[in-house]
Amino acid sequence: MKMDIQLDGRPEGAARRARELVEHGVDGLFTFEGAHDVFLPLVAAAATVETDLMTNVAIALPRSPLHLAHTAYDLQALSGGRFRLGLGSQIRPHIEKRYGARWSRPAARMRETVLAIRAIFDAWEGYSRLQFEGEFTSHTLMPPTFDPGPNPFGPPPICLGALGPIMTRTAAEVADGLLVMPFNSVRHFRERTVPAVEEGLARSGRTAGDLAIYPQVIVGVGRTPEELEAAARGVRGLLAFYGSTPAYRPVLEVEGWLDLQPKLNAFSKQGDFAAMTDLIDDTMLTTLAVHGTPEQCAAEIVTRFGDHADRVCCYFPGYEVEGQHIAELAAAMKVLAP
């Protein structure tokens, strides 16, 4: 099983960090749209290392499909055909209050964004004239001056991040890959995600081979008691943050922890992050994330997702993970699920 991990968002350090991570044996790098641009670190990495690269995720709703198509096309060429365009919708307050954009019917908009980007790719590849007219966006003009022509490596795959059944079905209908949100559990994945994927594939007449599934896992890895405690503390903090958000209630509901969400939300509004973290007990820690030695974490990841995926995205939140542990985790996953 292949492992992708997050590349730090600062573009000035991306090349150096990319080299370090590739030397540790990871199979791919992804960026998160947080405090820095989601694409620029990948430009630095593409010019430095030969490894798979992905946005995980670029927020699509505030962006034009044409902007996304141009950036993805160029990164595909710059990386030698190793780029995947991962897209996400984000929640309404962020779209309207942070990005200053319009939010409505996110699954329908994401579906149309994927189809629009594909139409633009097809026009550039010379397969068809650009004539995309959707409900939310239209693209019908592509003079030669603005047409980059065929990509030497072909268009990059397009992946969608999803948690709920509607967005998951949408990804299964139109995307090349599904990015399963990291705040998840085995039970939610098997009882909610997998059926939604099957329904989406059936609706579109596609098969399982048409959709790559990329589970994302929050990992607390270490060997010494001190390392494991620091990792657990960092993981609990991220789980508490996710759990405070109403969008992630379905995962808590499946596990019987629905009453936790309003408590976390109340503490988040008070800014009491320590109290939020204290609410995440050991059972929640090992249900919603994986925790242990590199070999224990690898075994748990393969057990959870090995039947459905051949690569995962791993996060190490809120603590300093040793490079050797990353290397050992990557090696163990390849042995357990080659």
Side-chain angles (χ1 to χ4, degrees), residues 42-225:
L42 297 179
V43 175
T48 306
V49 295
E50 291 188 5
T51 194
D52 295 338
L53 303 172
M54 176 173 65
T55 52
N56 187 17
V57 291
I59 305 305
L61 297 187
R63 292 181 167 99
S64 160
L66 184 64
H67 286 137
L68 290 167
H70 270 301
T71 306
Y73 218 58
D74 287 346
L75 272 168
Q76 176 76 335
L78 187 62
S79 65
R82 295 174 177 269
F83 178 68
R84 284 167 283 152
L85 177 63
L87 301 176
S89 59
Q90 207 20 297
I91 59 176
R92 185 170 191 163
H94 282 268
I95 294 300
E96 293 184 341
K97 297 179 181 180
R98 184 157 66 94
Y99 287 99
R102 179 175 294 180
W103 188 96
S104 70
R105 298 170 57 205
R109 286 181 175 272
M110 293 301 293
R111 182 182 191 276
E112 190 166 297
T113 294
V114 173
L115 296 178
I117 293 172
R118 285 243 180 82
I120 294 167
F121 284 164
D122 284 349
W124 290 344
E125 292 291 314
Y127 300 144
S128 62
R129 177 174 172 268
L130 182 58
Q131 191 64 38
F132 184 87
E133 298 183 70
E135 180 181 356
F136 308 104
T137 186
S138 295
H139 304 272
T140 59
L141 178 66
M142 188 56 62
T145 302
F146 305 101
D147 185 340
N151 193 301
F153 303 98
I158 305 172
C159 305
L160 287 189
L163 176 72
I166 298 176
M167 192 68 79
T168 301
R169 284 198 302 266
T170 299
E173 287 183 43
V174 301
D176 298 302
L178 166 67
L179 296 166
V180 181
M181 291 292 97
F183 188 84
N184 218 311
S185 68
V186 175
R187 187 173 179 183
H188 183 273
F189 177 75
R190 297 186 183 277
E191 294 183 7
R192 302 283 181 91
T193 301
V194 172
V197 165
E198 293 171 346
E199 184 178 346
L201 291 173
R203 285 184 177 187
S204 59
R206 305 206 302 169
T207 65
D210 296 319
L211 181 76
I213 296 178
Y214 302 111
Q216 304 184 71
V217 187
I218 299 170
V219 180
V221 66
R223 289 207 180 273
T224 69

